[in-house]
Amino acid sequence: PAPRPAAVPPLRIFSSEDTDPMTDQISDARLFLPVTLGSLTLANRIAMAPLTRSRAGADGVPSPLAATYYAQRAAAGLLITEATNISAEGRGYAWTPGIFTPEQVAGWKAVTQAVHARGGRIFMQLWHTGRISHPSLQPGGVPPVAPSAIRPEGQAFTEAGFAPFETPRALSADEMPRLIEDYRRAAENAKAAGLDGVEVHGANGYLLEQFLRDATNTRTDDWGGSIENRARLLLAATDAAISVFGADRVGVRLSPVTPANDAGQDSDPAALYGYVATELGRRGIAFIHVIEGATGGPRDNQPFDYAALRKAFGRHGWIVNNGYDRAAAIAAIDEGRADMVAFGRPFISNPDLVDRLRRNAPLAPLDRDTLYGGGAKGYVDYPTLDGRVAAA
Ligand code: 8OZ
């Protein structure tokens, strides 16, 4: 018989009604077994999804608490950092971190050292927000850039509060090499900071997805029109990251039908994303990380055949995300529909999420008031099952 797990100390953060679903059985589901992704062997098939927390300085240096925050969660098979600005121009939210200055690189070095000391692995999500920004967040107060001068509906999160989006400036074709170089330099900085790899943020209505979809890209040059043209920037950014890290240390995040950030829907998502997945497969990247449905919302907002997309990718390294619970994650792995499952919000309030899932222990609820901005509260003070708050 399997050895019995050590006794679990009593819970301190739940009322007595909540405490019973925990068993003394530790699951042997494949979700909790190691997996190889690219050139990395990961301890389990649970990834921490990128999560914006807006606790960096106005200069984009990650919070001094970030090392503790990520190290507390290092039992995830793979940590993916919060979306991180590749350039000052890419910034679209107040207090988000960057990876384009020496001070930012030094700040991230502290994070990677703390994570590696705990045996964790960490990729950085490389971000350019495109039109999902605001002049007050841009150097010189100029309008943000986008494929086309189409104003998104909604509001930007600025240092002075929410402000309506403004019409972006359409990038000129001349600027594209510079933009691709920004991705390459960001990857180089991420490598210097000790990241194990990078995830190119191609999802959620930001710059690369603005180029991908014909709802937001009405260009008539090499960067718009055909699917090949609309996918050019995402693939060039990925190639730039590959030139630094090698394909087996690069992932890409996609969200084929999300309406997030007024992304609109592409006229033919199956063809568009099928082409992208095929091209990424050809490059041999470590993974595609796919958001199924509406980001943080319904999984069935639009029909989409994710199995066909995976087939187009044609490789190992399929990370699924969006609203998975324990049972759905175990089933996705057991039924061979995914190689890893990424959890987002549950990781915020459960630093020991992997342990809790393995034990089928209850999850602590999220405090929404401390999601974005602020300091230690709601960031590094969520306890583990034994009631303890881990230091770095
Ligand atoms: C929530 C708040 C701010 C940014 C994304 C980077 O949706 C984000 C984000 C999410 O990908």
Side-chain angles (χ1 to χ4, degrees):
R4 288 182 65 79
V8 179
L11 289 174
R12 290 182 210 163
I13 53 172
F14 292 93
S15 69
S16 53
E17 302 95 85
D18 295 334
T19 52
D20 236 283
M22 187 168 60
T23 70
D24 62 356
Q25 292 294 306
I26 293 186
S27 171
D28 58 1
R30 290 174 57 225
L31 179 65
F32 306 106
L33 298 182
V35 66
T36 301
L37 215 66
S39 60
L40 292 172
T41 300
L42 307 176
N44 56 65
R45 299 162 199 228
I46 296 166
M48 177 170 155
L51 292 158
T52 291
R53 305 302 311 275
S54 287
R55 281 166 165 84
D59 56 2
V61 175
S63 161
L65 299 171
T68 302
Y69 167 75
Y70 285 107
Q72 286 173 339
R73 289 154 181 80
L78 181 64
L79 301 174
I80 305 168
T81 70
E82 63 208 276
T84 301
N85 303 308
I86 62 163
S87 60
E89 174 196 88
R91 188 166 84 119
Y93 293 76
W95 306 299
T96 48
I99 189 70
F100 55 89
T101 72
E103 294 75 19
Q104 294 165 0
V105 172
W108 282 112
K109 210 173 266 176
V111 172
T112 62
Q113 282 168 354
V115 168
H116 290 152
R118 293 274 179 94
R121 294 293 196 170
I122 182 164
F123 275 39
M124 173 174 280
Q125 192 187 49
L126 299 184
W127 194 27
H128 189 306
T129 60
R131 66 181 191 153
I132 304 301
S133 180
H134 188 268
S136 69
L137 293 163
Q138 293 289 312
V142 299
V145 299
S148 304
I150 304 170
R151 183 177 60 83
E153 289 299 323
Q155 302 208 311
F157 180 58
T158 77
E159 284 170 19
F162 287 96
F165 289 126
E166 296 184 11
T167 304
R169 174 178 74 80
L171 284 154
S172 76
D174 295 354
E175 293 175 272
M176 301 308 281
R178 187 268 303 161
L179 194 57
I180 296 160
E181 173 61 14
D182 287 346
Y183 276 95
R184 197 199 59 77
R185 192 169 319 103
E188 198 168 79
N189 289 341
K191 194 169 190 189
L195 276 297
D196 295 297
V198 289
E199 174 181 279
V200 174
H201 196 341
N204 294 343
Y206 299 114
L207 183 72
L208 298 180
E209 199 179 78
Q210 290 159 29
F211 268 89
L212 284 179
R213 296 193 186 183
D214 52 16
T216 43
N217 181 347
T218 58
R219 301 175 70 97
T220 54
D221 61 5
D222 287 350
W223 305 90
S226 67
I227 284 174
E228 289 79 358
N229 283 355
R230 283 183 276 128
R232 196 176 303 285
L233 181 59
L234 179 137
L235 295 174
T238 304
D239 286 337
I242 291 172
S243 75
V244 172
F245 272 101
D248 59 1
R249 298 288 184 125
V250 172
V252 173
R253 199 168 200 215
L254 300 174
S255 52
V257 295
T258 196
N261 290 313
D262 195 27
Q265 293 294 337
D266 191 72
S267 60
D268 190 350
L272 171 63
Y273 286 92
Y275 171 78
V276 168
T278 302
E279 284 298 316
L280 294 174
R282 199 169 278 165
R283 284 161 172 77
I285 62 168
F287 64 83
I288 288 179
H289 179 184
V290 65
I291 299 164
E292 298 165 331
T295 311
R299 295 173 47 79
D300 58 355
N301 66 313
Q302 291 277 324
F304 191 83
D305 186 348
Y306 296 98
L309 193 65
R310 186 185 187 195
K311 213 167 159 193
F313 182 48
R315 302 180 54 83
H316 188 75
W318 194 253
I319 307 181
V320 294
N321 171 242
N322 203 22
Y324 280 78
D325 62 11
R326 180 179 190 273
I330 288 174
I333 298 294
D334 281 349
E335 292 161 21
R337 283 182 277 113
D339 301 309
M340 283 188 99
V341 179
F343 289 85
R345 284 169 295 188
F347 254 117
I348 293 177
S349 48
N350 297 274
D352 56 341
L353 182 66
V354 172
D355 188 44
R356 291 188 196 225
L357 295 176
R358 197 183 271 133
R359 294 169 186 270
N360 200 15
L363 301 188
L366 179 66
D367 172 19
R368 289 176 181 276
D369 294 342
T370 51
L371 258 179
Y372 306 114
K377 191 167 182 299
Y379 191 48
V380 293
D381 60 351
Y382 283 108
T384 54
L385 263 180
D386 65 6
R388 270 187 274 216
V389 175

